[in-house]
Amino acid sequence: MTVQLGIPETTVRADAIPHPLEPLTAEEIAAAVALVRGSGMLSARTRFASITLHEPPKETVLHFQLGDAVAREAFVILLDNDANAVYEVVVSITNGDIIRWEHIPGVQPQIMYDEFVECEAACKADPAFRDALARRGVTDMDLVMVEPWSAGNYGDASDQGMRLTRALMFVRSEPHDNGYARPVEGLVALVDLGAMRIVRIEDSGVVPLPPEPGNYAAEFIPAMRTDRKPIAITQPEGTSFSVDGHAVTWQKWHFRIGFTPREGLVLHTIGYDDGGRVRPVIYRAALSEMVVPYGDPSPSHNRKNAFDVGEYGIGLMANALELGCDCLGEIRYFDVFLNNSRGEVVRYQHAVCMHEEDTGILWKHYDWRTNQTEVRRSRRLVVSFIATVGNYEYGFYWYFYQDGAIGYEVKLTGVINTGALPPGETRKYGTLVAPQLYAPNHQHFFNVRLDIMVDGPQNSVYEVHTVAEPPGPENPHGNAFFAESTLLKTEQEAQQSVDPLNARYWKIVNPSVRNGLGQPVAYKLAPGENTRSFVDADSSVRRRAGFMGNHLWVTPYDPAEQYAAGDYPNQHAGGAGLPAYTAADRSIENTDLVVWYTMGHHHIPRPEDWPVMPVSTIGFMLKPLGFFDRNPALDVPPEMAMHGACCHEE
Ligand code: CU
């Protein structure tokens, strides 16, 4: 999946980089590592948790002119396993020096891929671990899968001061088998990743391994359906987008692609060309955090809640995407360069996929009096990546449409998490999906951070819902209803939830810019599927994932506020991120704003989710609302089919 590069440790000429938001190159990552190592301040057991472009100030980016000098900096997080200490370092790659070196007390960076591998090996070498598995009839360690789950924070005094993971076990029946079919119920290994040894084994009693395999790979399917004819997506004249470095132009849209180990895909400086002028819409957009709280109180499952952004680094788990499978058509791939915990550059080939899709009709009208039809087909530009987090796959998709809309969608697939049951039993907190195998109830909450700038940085947010006019003199026939807009003046006022029965949406307005009708220009945030959290308000996961408590949050822009659950959610006691950011109840009126949208996908598993889950989707839309004076897609030309004119009258 990933390829190691032998990158020479040289300093990169900054003038080779054309834009301050270009992602770090392999050479720049290697240069940052060399600078950190050259400081002489690393212990022998220091890990490089992450190396990211240290993004320049917003003013620098917004005033940047092609050809300006670009100062390149890297933000490095170090974990010293000997001292259990975390350091944040900023290095200037341009100047070859260290700008900042700060010890951050009491925090844990995300669990690193190298630690997964080392943790599995340490567990399998531990006699107590082998004894616990032997009590369950498992003796072949090669078939055991050790899954280190983030430990959370449950206030256990004896666990303080350690870098912890709670490892769960699964057993394959043969090397290519789906191991999630055979969970080792009732067994948890608490591992200190700093010392890389088991602290204790929690064994709540033997439950037999479920009897059936759960395989889905083609080699295990005896009879494939045979009635499927080929379908081909071709663009004989190539794509309609152009790419310069990581800058993309497509159908009046302009934006830049970025990628971080923590957030994965990041989009920068999104704007729409309106008559030759690129009007800004979003400064920066990325998944800021996600959490998957499980709703089963049993010993193996009650501490399952993965913060896949802050605790694992969703970008670090990106897949290499393959032509014709993950994306279809004329594809432009972007490779991504990240680092492993030893400070080596890791190339993620084809991590980001970009392509165009036909999405049905854009608009249509048939005039029966003149027998004329005008119809246009809709096309969208898709920018995506897919991450595998243990058992689950998450696909993250940004969509750009020709009518000025932007969509975001998460596709959930992969293998559901499982537990074992004694023969004949079912479970209130989950669904039986195979004999003696069940999938616990859970939810997936995603928070997307939108550093919004609708036609400029100064914006305001309104809540909008629809009100039925009470019958009376203004509504004598009882048919009247209207949209009511309320300005959200402070951070607390902006903490809101979806309200589909009252058709609630949120409107991001630039009060200083008017459209041709005299209305302030705006975009609306239109929620899709959403739900609330079902965990108790005082539970550990609810305190640590406070962002689950509201679907909408709005903050005034602060470059230090990037993550919905705070900078270091791994083992954090709670309260960080959005609850802390918004505690002062700052003004959010006519200022530089960040809109944070939380969406929850509810998952009461189905038997059909086993052994591999058909894709479920969740997302939202950003649609222009008076940003234009009329439908901006009138100039999309009619299609010309291979066999002649179609879709409009000649
Ligand atoms: Cu799920």
Side-chain angles (χ1 to χ4, degrees), residues 505-519:
Y505 60 85
W506 296 284
K507 185 167 70 173
I508 301 133
V509 171
N510 186 327
S512 309
V513 180
R514 304 267 157 175
N515 65 16
L517 303 166
Q519 303 153 336

Side-chain angles (χ1 to χ4, degrees), residues 34-66:
L35 285 164
V36 170
R37 285 202 196 287
S39 70
M41 294 164 73
L42 300 192
S43 79
R45 294 185 66 240
T46 298
R47 293 181 191 265
F48 287 78
S50 68
I51 304 171
T52 314
L53 173 70
H54 192 233
E55 291 177 23
K58 204 184 258 194
E59 304 74 49
T60 306
V61 173
L62 292 177
H63 294 118
F64 176 78
Q65 302 278 336
L66 203 62

Side-chain angles (χ1 to χ4, degrees), residues 150-210:
S150 51
N153 188 318
Y154 293 83
D156 306 329
S158 61
D159 297 346
Q160 299 303 308
M162 284 186 281
R163 177 167 171 79
L164 292 173
T165 183
R166 291 172 64 79
L168 305 177
M169 277 63 73
F170 301 83
V171 185
R172 298 182 197 266
S173 57
E174 53 106 343
H176 292 103
D177 183 34
N178 171 13
Y180 297 110
R182 292 186 176 84
V184 180
E185 192 69 30
L187 186 65
V188 178
L190 190 73
V191 180
D192 178 358
L193 294 174
M196 207 49 82
R197 62 173 183 82
I198 292 178
V199 177
R200 66 172 178 269
I201 287 179
E202 299 172 358
D203 191 341
S204 57
V206 174
V207 178
L209 293 177

Side-chain angles (χ1 to χ4, degrees), residues 392 412 442 444 601 603 613:
Y392 242 84
L412 301 92
H442 60 278
H444 307 255
H601 178 69
H603 198 171
M613 192 180 113

Side-chain angles (χ1 to χ4, degrees), residues 64-77:
F64 176 78
Q65 302 278 336
L66 203 62
D68 287 356
V70 177
R72 299 288 282 174
E73 295 177 359
F75 176 65
V76 182
I77 298 177

Side-chain angles (χ1 to χ4, degrees), residues 292 294 391-392 394 412-413 415-417 440-444 601-605 609 613 616:
V292 188
Y294 280 78
N391 52 303
Y392 242 84
Y394 296 99
L412 301 92
T413 180
V415 182
I416 46 178
N417 208 270
N441 298 337
H442 60 278
Q443 297 183 289
H444 307 255
H601 178 69
H602 197 66
H603 198 171
I604 307 295
D609 291 337
M613 192 180 113
S616 277

Side-chain angles (χ1 to χ4, degrees), residues 17 44 104 232 262 346 412 420 459 575 617 620:
I17 302 295
I104 311 294
R262 179 166 180 158
V346 181
L412 301 92
N459 293 166
T617 60
F620 65 89

